[in-house]
C-alpha cells in the first residue's frame, strides 16, 4: 500500500498545481480525442456540401445514393461513438496516471490528492463542453446549404419563443440552459463514478470485473430508489416544461458526484494500491 505524500500547508494556493494537472490531462487525452473530433467535422462538411441537396434531403436511389445514405448513418453513429470514446479515454487516463505506471511519478510530486482530482475534473468538464460544441458545429456543417434560410428560421423561432414564454412563464433559452446544466451534471457523474469504481476495484487483486458489476448494481439501485423517494410523481401531471425538476435533478446528480468523489479521495489518501 502506498499513501500520497501530505503536501498540505497553511494558506497553500492549490491553483498552480491544479492548472498543471489540467494542462497535462488535456494534452494527453487530446492526442486521441481531437483527431476524432476533426474526423466528425470533416465527414459532416462532406455531407453538407456533397450529399445534402438544397431541400436538405438525401436521395438514396442507386448505388451512389446508397453510399451517401451509408455515410450519413456512419456520421450519426460517430456522434454516439465519440461520447463513449471520450468517457473511455477519461477512465483509462485516470487508471494509468493515478493507479498505474504513471502513478509512481505522480505520487512523488508536491501535489495533493484533491489537486490531482480537481485538475482531472476540470479537464473532463472541458471535454464534455467540447463534445457539445463539436456536435453543434457538425450539425451546422450538415445543414450548410440551408444557411440562406436562417433569417426566416430566426423569425419563426422568435414567434415560437414568445408563445412558449407566454404558456410556461419562462423562455426557451432558460430551458436550454437548465438542460445543459443537467447534462453536464450527468456527464460529470459518469466520469467521477468511473474514478471511484476503478479506485475501489484496484484495492483487490482478483475478480475485479465482478466487483465492478456489483458496485454498479448497488449504486444504480440506490440512485434510482432515492430519486423516486425525493422526486416521486411530483411533476407527472404538470402541463408546462418542468424546468424546476430539471434543475433539481441536476443538483441530485451533483450530490452523488460529491459522494463518489469523497470515496475516491479517501481511497487515494488512505489505501492507494498501485499496480
Amino acid at each position: 500500500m502506498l499513501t500520497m505524500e501530505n503536501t498540505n500547508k497553511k494558506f497553500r494556493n492549490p491553483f498552480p498545481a491544479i492548472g498543471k494537472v489540467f494542462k497535462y490531462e488535456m494534452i494527453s487525452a487530446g492526442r486521441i480525442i481531437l483527431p476524432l473530433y476533426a474526423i466528425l467535422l470533416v465527414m459532416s462538411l462532406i455531407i453538407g456540401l456533397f450529399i445534402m441537396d438544397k431541400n436538405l434531403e438525401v436521395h438514396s436511389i442507386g448505388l451512389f445514393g446508397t453510399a451517401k445514405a451509408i455515410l450519413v448513418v456512419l456520421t450519426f453513429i460517430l456522434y454516439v461513438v465519440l461520447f463513449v470514446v471520450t468517457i473511455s479515454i477519461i477512465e483509462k487516463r485516470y487508471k494509468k496516471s493515478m493507479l498505474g505506471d504513471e502513478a509512481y511519478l505522480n505520487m512523488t510530486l508536491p501535489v495533493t490528492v484533491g489537486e490531482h482530482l480537481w485538475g482531472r475534473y476540470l479537464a473532463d468538464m472541458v471535454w464534455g463542453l467540447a463534445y457539445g460544441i463539436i456536435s453543434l458545429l457538425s450539425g451546422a456543417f450538415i445543414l450548410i446549404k440551408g444557411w440562406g434560410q436562417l433569417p426566416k428560421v430566426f423569425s419563426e423561432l422568435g414567434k415560437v419563443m414568445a408563445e412558449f414564454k407566454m404558456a410556461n412563464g419562462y423562455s426557451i433559452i432558460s430551458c436550454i440552459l437548465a438542460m445543459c446544466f443537467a447534462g453536464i451534471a450527468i456527464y460529470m457523474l459518469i466520469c467521477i463514478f468511473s474514478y471511484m469504481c476503478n479506485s475501489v476495484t484496484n484495492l483487490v487483486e482478483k475478480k475485479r470485473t465482478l466487483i465492478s458489476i456489483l458496485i454498479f448494481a448497488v449504486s444504480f439501485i440506490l440512485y434510482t430508489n432515492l430519486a423516486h423517494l425525493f422526486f416521486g410523481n411530483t411533476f407527472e401531471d404538470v402541463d408546462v416544461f418542468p424546468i424546476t425538476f430539471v434543475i433539481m435533478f441536476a443538483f441530485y446528480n451533483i450530490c452523488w458526484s460529491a459522494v463518489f468523489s469523497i470515496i475516491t479521495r479517501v481511497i487515494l489518501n488512505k489505501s492507494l494500491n498501485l499496480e
Side-chain angles (χ1 to χ4, degrees):
M1 294 290 181
L2 176 66
T3 57
M4 179 172 285
E5 179 185 357
N6 184 9
T7 56
N8 291 323
K9 297 180 181 179
K10 191 174 183 179
F11 304 117
R12 172 183 170 85
N13 181 9
F15 295 105
I18 292 175
K20 290 179 181 179
V21 174
F22 169 79
K23 180 181 178 181
Y24 182 75
E25 290 303 310
M26 289 295 297
I27 294 173
S28 299
R31 295 191 183 102
I32 302 174
I33 296 177
L34 290 179
L36 294 176
Y37 285 176
I39 292 172
L40 176 62
L41 291 178
V42 170
M43 291 178 65
S44 301
L45 189 58
I46 291 173
I47 292 173
L49 291 176
F50 304 108
I51 296 180
M52 286 285 187
D53 59 19
K54 293 182 179 180
N55 297 321
L56 302 180
E57 296 178 350
V58 179
H59 299 287
S60 57
I61 300 176
L63 182 62
F64 184 63
T66 302
K68 293 193 296 184
I70 291 174
L71 181 59
V72 173
V73 172
L74 289 176
T75 301
F76 284 100
I77 291 176
L78 188 56
Y79 277 104
V80 180
V81 171
L82 275 180
F83 181 80
V84 176
V85 168
T86 300
I87 297 295
S88 177
I89 291 172
I90 287 172
E91 180 183 7
K92 288 181 179 180
R93 279 297 312 151
Y94 173 81
K95 192 172 182 179
K96 184 177 181 180
S97 61
M98 295 298 290
L99 305 173
D101 296 338
E102 292 183 14
Y104 287 99
L105 173 61
N106 290 335
M107 297 312 165
T108 63
L109 299 175
V111 182
T112 65
V113 169
E115 290 163 351
H116 271 294
L117 291 177
W118 274 108
R120 284 163 176 78
Y121 294 161
L122 292 177
D124 298 346
M125 189 174 296
V126 169
W127 286 125
L129 293 173
Y131 174 80
I133 293 172
I134 292 298
S135 298
L136 292 175
L137 284 176
S138 176
F141 287 165
I142 291 175
L143 303 175
I144 193 170
K145 289 184 179 179
W147 287 9
Q149 303 176 16
L150 285 179
K152 182 179 179 181
V153 172
F154 286 142
S155 177
E156 293 296 325
L157 183 60
K159 295 178 182 178
V160 172
M161 291 176 67
E163 293 175 357
F164 183 90
K165 188 171 184 179
M166 289 182 62
N168 296 274
Y170 36 78
S171 66
I172 291 180
I173 295 178
S174 300
C175 297
I176 293 175
L177 291 176
M179 293 177 68
C180 289
F181 178 54
I184 292 173
I186 294 174
Y187 164 77
M188 290 304 299
L189 174 63
I190 294 172
C191 294
I192 296 173
F193 174 78
S194 71
Y195 292 171
M196 186 273 294
C197 191
N198 276 292
S199 299
V200 173
T201 55
N202 199 63
L203 297 176
V204 298
E205 299 295 334
K206 299 179 180 180
K207 298 182 179 179
R208 291 184 176 180
T209 302
L210 177 60
I211 293 175
S212 296
I213 295 173
L214 290 175
I215 292 173
F216 175 81
V218 172
S219 299
F220 181 77
I221 292 172
L222 289 174
Y223 178 89
T224 53
N225 279 276
L226 287 175
H228 181 74
L229 177 64
F230 290 144
F231 302 120
N233 300 320
T234 306
F235 300 95
E236 190 176 33
D237 300 324
V238 177
D239 295 329
V240 298
F241 182 86
I243 189 172
T244 304
F245 171 77
V246 173
I247 295 174
M248 289 173 59
F249 185 67
F251 280 108
Y252 177 73
N253 288 313
I254 290 173
C255 291
W256 272 99
S257 297
V259 172
F260 292 147
S261 180
I262 291 171
I263 295 173
T264 303
R265 185 165 181 170
V266 169
I267 292 174
L268 293 179
N269 268 320
K270 306 295 183 182
S271 305
L272 182 59
N273 182 28
L274 299 183
E275 295 180 348

